[in-house]
Amino acid sequence: MNYKEVITTITELLTDQLVVCANGLISREAFTIRDRTENFYMIGSMGMASSIGLGIALNKPSRKVIILEGDGNLLMNPGSLPMTGALHPVNLLHIVLDNEVYASTGNQPTISSKIELEEFAKSAKYAYVKKVTTNEELRGEIVHALKNEGPSFLLVKISDTAEQIEIGRVTHSPEQIKERFMSAM
């Protein structure tokens, strides 16, 4: 699987869920595949998608909130995992696309090939943790997580193909992204 396949599968299953898309390729790919007012595209602030998503989930308990970030983003702010486990927002689904590199900046290796991020989430007391490697597993686990209480953590192993850097950028201004997202909340 690659970014495009994974984000396409995820967005096909979305209805009214709020989605915080991490900066870099994830925001760009989500914007290109299916732009939605319920998507918050991060333009910068690497590593903060999980903290922003956690804050939204705690303040909007009636809405399902999805964090969509890469392994590099997660490793930039690993303290958000135990904070999520401790605060236990049942409406949160945390999806990490793990290609073992910082794809947005030229595929420099992360350390996710040496540690098991899903075990970190289990240790942080997420209610539901799964690792998937196929599109079929991904689809089934997202359906499950959207129907059930969390917090849930889904680690999605993907390839590190470099051709995906050719995708376009988010064309909304940061102010437009904020206003659109606030109107969807």
Side-chain angles (χ1 to χ4, degrees), residues 47-114:
M48 298 310 294
S50 54
S51 296
I52 293 169
L54 174 60
I56 295 168
L58 292 171
N59 286 288
K60 294 291 180 188
S62 65
R63 301 288 300 273
K64 193 71 151 187
V65 177
I66 299 172
I67 300 164
L68 190 55
E69 69 176 346
D71 54 307
N73 265 276
L74 175 64
L75 292 168
M76 190 68 69
N77 182 19
S80 66
L81 289 179
M83 183 63 73
T84 298
L87 297 174
H88 206 74
V90 297
N91 58 331
L92 183 67
L93 169 57
H94 191 166
I95 302 173
V96 176
L97 282 58
D98 182 7
N99 58 2
E100 303 178 1
V101 296
Y102 294 97
S104 296
T105 59
N107 287 356
Q108 300 87 358
T110 67
I111 59 169
S112 69
S113 64
K114 297 176 174 50

Side-chain angles (χ1 to χ4, degrees), residues 6 9-10 13-14 66 93 95 137-147 154:
V6 169
T9 297
I10 292 168
L13 298 170
L14 296 177
I66 299 172
L93 169 57
I95 302 173
E137 291 173 326
L138 172 65
R139 185 174 295 278
E141 291 300 335
I142 290 174
V143 169
H144 173 84
L146 291 177
K147 289 181 182 174
L154 188 56

Side-chain angles (χ1 to χ4, degrees), residues 18 37 40 60 176-185:
L18 300 169
T37 57
F40 183 77
K60 294 291 180 188
Q176 289 172 321
I177 294 168
K178 180 193 82 171
E179 293 300 325
R180 286 165 31 107
F181 190 72
M182 296 287 288
S183 73
M185 292 176 46

